[in-house]
Amino acid sequence: MKKSLSLVSLLLLFSVSLFAQSKKSPDFKKLDAYFAKMVQDWDVPGASIGIVKDGKLVFTGNYGLIETGKPEKPDENTLYAIASNSKAFTSALIGMLVQEGKLKWNDKIKDHLPYFSLYNDPWISSQVTVRDILSHRVGLGTFSGDVIWYKSEMSAENMIKLAGKLPQAYDFRAGYGYSNLMYITAGELIKKITGKTWGENVKERILDPLGMERTLTSARGLDDMDNVTTPHGRENEVNFPIEFEDWSEIAATGGIVSSVNDVAKWMIFNLNHGINGKDTLLTKPTRNLVWTPHNNFMVDHTSKNDLGRHFSGYGLGWNLGDFHGKFMVGHTGGFDGMITAVTMIPEENLGIVVLTNGHKSPIMAATYYAFDQFLGTGTKDWSADLLARTNENLKNDTRISDMKARRVMGTEPSLPLNAYTGYYFAPVYGNISVSMDGDDMILEFENAPRLTAKLRHWHYDVWEIVWDEKHAWFSFGTVKFQTDNDMKITGLEFKVPNDDIFFEELNAKKVR
C-alpha cells in the first residue's frame, strides 16, 4: 500500500512539474532577438511590441526608427495610430449604453438616425439593427464606399447619406462585407444617444478610467504630444514618410492613437472581462455578446491549417477564432502608413499588441510566434513563412504592370482638351471637376482637395492620374472619358488598382 502511495505521489509530482514547465515564461531575449531580425527582414521602418500575461505587461520590444532617415527610436510610449482596433472601443461604448438602458442591441438604426438608408430599399433600411452595423452583415462589399470618406472634408452625416447609394453586394444578413462606413454610422448613433462625440465618450468612459493617459481619440491633438511615430508609405520597395492623417470625423471606425503601454491596459481590461479594479464597466452579457460570432467564415476541416483553427468569425468589433484549440480574439488596423494588431487568448490571460509604422508589416508573424513561445504550440518561423507569402502576393499583383504594358503609344485624344473640362457628378460622392491650368488638365474632388491630380495623356481618351501628393494605399491610376455616339463627353471611368479605396465606384456623369 505504501509503495502504491509513493508511486501516486511521484506521478503527481511529475504532472505538477510538467504543468509548471508548460506555464513557464518564454526566453524573452530570444523573443527580442527574433523580433529585431523580423523588423529588419520585413523592412518595416519601426515597430513596438508588447505582451501582457496574467494582468501585467511582461515584455516590451521596440525596433527600427520613428522615421526613416532620422535617428530617433521608438519606445513603449511612442504613439501610433491603431486604426480599426478602435472598433472594439466603439462596440464597448454601445454595450455601456445598452447596460444603461439608453439603447438596445436590436434597435433599428433608422429609429435613431432617420436619414439612414441603404440601396434605395425601404425595407432593408428600416430593418438594419445596431448588431448588423457592428458585425458587417448589412450587404455591402468589403471596403465598399471607403472612397467616400478617404481624405474627405465632409461631415460623418453626409458620408452616411452617401453610403445609402452604394450597390448591394449580397443579400441582407447573408454574408460578410467589412464596412468602415457602418462604424462611422455607429459613431453618429453614439453621438445622437449621448449628446457627446464618440471621442468624448471614449475618453470619459474608457481612457480615463483605465489610465490610458497618452491615448488620443484622433490625431488632432498630436501637435501637443511628444514621441510620435511617423507613418510611411511604400513604393518600389522603398519606405517614404507621409503626413499623419486626421480621422476625427470618422474616429469611430479607426481614430485612436495610442502606445504599447496604453494598449496593454486595454488588453488587461478585456482579459479581465470588462472589470477595471472594483468597477464593472462591461457586464457579463455585454462581454459575451461582443465576443459571440455574428458572422461566420468557412474553415477547411478537411485539412490541417497553420493555426490549428476550428472556427473563424466576426463578433461586434472583434475578430474571433481559435489558436490550436484555444479561443483567440483580436483585431487589426490599417491606417495611412501604419499597420497594427491586438490579439488575445483569454483562457491563458495572454495578449499581444504589435504597432508598426509601415505598410509591409509583420503584425501577425510577431503575434503567432509569441503565442507559440508562450503556449508551446510549435516552432514555426512565422516571420520567414509570412514574409515569403507576402512577397509572393506582391510579385503576383501585376495589375499596374499589366495596365502599363497595354498602353498604346502614339495615340491622340479624340477631342480638343477643353471638351474634357467641366463638372462630373457621382451619386455616391458628389462633384468632380476637370479644368485647365495653362497646358495642364487638373482633376479635383469637391470633398477631398488633397486628392487633386494632374492628368497626363495615356492613350486615346484615357489619362494617367498624377497625384499632387503621394498616397499610402494607391499610386498609379487612369481615368477614361466616356463619350456618346455623337462624341460628346458623358462621364468618367476610373481605374486605380488597390485593395481598399475603390475609385471605380464613382462612375461620375458629366453634368456641365
Side-chain angles (χ1 to χ4, degrees):
M1 185 68 177
K2 288 182 180 180
K3 288 183 178 180
S4 298
L5 286 173
S6 297
L7 182 59
V8 170
S9 299
L10 285 171
L11 287 171
L12 284 172
L13 284 171
F14 181 67
S15 299
V16 170
S17 176
L18 284 177
F19 179 78
Q21 288 176 25
S22 67
K23 295 297 180 181
K24 183 179 179 181
S25 294
D27 184 339
F28 288 130
K29 288 185 179 180
K30 179 182 176 182
L31 268 179
D32 187 57
Y34 187 88
F35 292 151
K37 184 177 185 301
M38 175 192 72
V39 168
Q40 185 176 30
D41 290 346
W42 283 71
D43 192 31
V44 64
S48 294
I49 299 172
I51 302 175
V52 299
K53 182 77 172 79
D54 299 329
K56 296 179 181 179
L57 180 60
V58 297
F59 173 89
T60 60
N62 300 279
Y63 314 94
L65 301 170
I66 283 179
E67 181 176 330
T68 55
K70 295 184 178 180
E72 290 80 16
K73 296 181 180 297
D75 60 36
E76 60 272 19
N77 290 308
T78 300
L79 294 178
Y80 297 76
I82 68 169
S84 287
N85 287 293
S86 306
K87 288 179 169 67
F89 289 76
T90 299
S91 65
L93 289 180
I94 295 286
M96 292 174 185
L97 296 179
V98 171
Q99 291 165 188
E100 294 165 10
K102 297 176 181 177
L103 193 64
K104 293 184 176 64
W105 290 110
N106 289 322
D107 274 3
K108 306 296 193 295
I109 299 300
K110 201 167 182 65
D111 290 343
H112 297 283
L113 304 176
Y115 57 82
F116 176 84
S117 68
L118 289 173
Y119 321 125
N120 293 318
D121 188 315
W123 183 84
I124 292 178
S125 301
S126 70
Q127 295 302 304
V128 176
T129 67
V130 175
R131 289 199 295 156
D132 292 328
I133 66 171
L134 295 181
S135 60
H136 306 300
R137 64 183 189 189
V138 301
L140 288 169
T142 289
F143 301 144
S144 180
D146 279 3
V147 70
I148 293 172
W149 59 261
Y150 187 68
K151 296 190 178 181
S152 174
E153 296 180 351
M154 280 189 293
S155 68
E157 180 175 328
N158 282 338
M159 295 176 196
I160 295 165
K161 289 177 179 177
L162 289 174
K165 303 179 187 301
L166 289 166
Q168 188 171 356
Y170 49 77
D171 290 342
F172 179 46
R173 293 185 187 146
Y176 175 83
Y178 187 92
S179 176
N180 287 303
L181 283 163
M182 291 303 99
Y183 269 80
I184 296 171
T185 303
E188 288 302 284
L189 175 64
I190 291 167
K191 182 179 178 181
K192 179 69 179 294
I193 297 295
T194 65
K196 297 180 180 180
T197 66
W198 177 89
E200 289 170 334
N201 275 284
V202 170
K203 188 175 189 308
E204 293 174 9
R205 293 171 175 270
I206 300 175
L207 304 185
D208 288 349
L210 269 55
M212 298 173 68
E213 296 177 353
R214 277 184 60 78
T215 299
L216 304 175
T217 57
S218 78
R220 190 163 288 175
L222 283 177
D223 288 343
D224 299 324
M225 304 293 287
D226 60 356
N227 197 4
V228 180
T229 196
T230 297
H232 293 80
R234 188 173 177 88
E235 189 175 16
N236 298 322
E237 296 300 306
V238 176
N239 298 306
F240 58 89
I242 58 176
E243 290 186 34
F244 214 116
E245 295 296 327
D246 179 11
W247 284 9
S248 300
E249 196 64 23
I250 61 164
T253 200
I256 289 178
V257 179
S258 193
S259 65
V260 160
N261 267 349
D262 272 11
V263 175
K265 296 172 184 177
W266 168 244
M267 289 194 294
I268 290 168
F269 165 71
N270 277 281
L271 289 167
N272 204 30
H273 299 305
I275 299 173
N276 180 46
K278 295 181 179 180
D279 296 328
T280 300
L281 303 184
L282 300 178
T283 61
K284 186 182 293 187
T286 301
R287 158 51 72 240
N288 288 335
L289 187 68
V290 299
W291 281 4
T292 293
H294 285 62
N295 229 322
N296 290 298
F297 312 142
M298 185 178 294
V299 173
D300 183 359
H301 298 288
T302 67
S303 61
K304 293 182 179 180
N305 59 72
D306 291 338
L307 302 183
R309 170 162 283 177
H310 303 88
F311 84 97
S312 181
Y314 198 90
L316 304 180
W318 293 98
N319 288 309
L320 310 172
D322 63 327
F323 186 82
H324 296 286
K326 295 182 181 292
F327 179 53
M328 180 172 66
V329 57
H331 215 286
T332 58
F335 185 83
D336 286 47
M338 298 190 192
I339 307 293
T340 59
V342 174
T343 318
M344 298 172 288
I345 298 183
E347 66 189 272
E348 294 291 338
N349 211 355
L350 174 65
I352 316 288
V353 53
V354 186
L355 309 177
T356 69
N357 62 351
H359 262 236
K360 187 178 179 182
S361 176
I363 51 172
M364 299 320 297
T367 299
Y368 297 148
Y369 182 80
F371 282 163
D372 276 343
Q373 299 308 300
F374 271 86
L375 304 177
T377 44
T379 58
K380 183 182 180 70
D381 186 348
W382 283 101
S383 177
D385 180 77
L386 294 183
L387 178 58
R389 295 192 209 181
T390 299
N391 286 338
E392 185 66 18
N393 289 337
L394 291 171
K395 178 182 176 182
N396 291 335
D397 183 1
T398 60
R399 289 174 292 181
I400 291 176
S401 60
D402 288 347
M403 287 175 66
K404 292 181 176 181
R406 288 193 293 265
R407 183 181 187 183
V408 181
M409 304 301 293
T411 66
E412 297 290 337
S414 300
L415 301 166
L417 294 186
N418 61 9
Y420 299 93
T421 62
Y423 287 90
Y424 299 78
F425 180 77
V428 302
Y429 188 82
N431 290 320
I432 301 168
S433 67
V434 176
S435 61
M436 296 298 300
D437 182 11
D439 294 331
D440 294 324
M441 288 179 66
I442 307 298
L443 177 71
E444 295 178 282
F445 295 80
E446 176 184 41
N447 300 313
R450 289 177 56 204
L451 293 181
T452 298
K454 290 183 176 63
L455 296 181
R456 179 187 298 154
H457 185 251
W458 188 247
H459 59 201
Y460 302 113
D461 287 330
V462 178
W463 267 256
E464 179 186 358
I465 303 169
V466 183
W467 307 102
D468 283 0
E469 67 175 74
K470 283 189 173 183
H471 302 289
W473 301 107
F474 51 86
S475 55
F476 176 83
T478 60
V479 60
K480 177 184 179 183
F481 288 84
Q482 298 170 320
T483 58
D484 63 14
N485 288 3
D486 297 322
M487 291 304 295
K488 290 183 178 179
I489 303 296
T490 59
L492 299 175
E493 180 182 316
F494 289 89
K495 192 170 186 179
V496 183
N498 73 95
D499 297 322
D500 196 330
I501 312 300
F502 303 146
F503 287 86
E504 291 79 3
E505 291 182 323
L506 297 179
N507 193 26
K509 302 300 181 184
K510 190 171 187 180
V511 289
R512 58 185 172 90

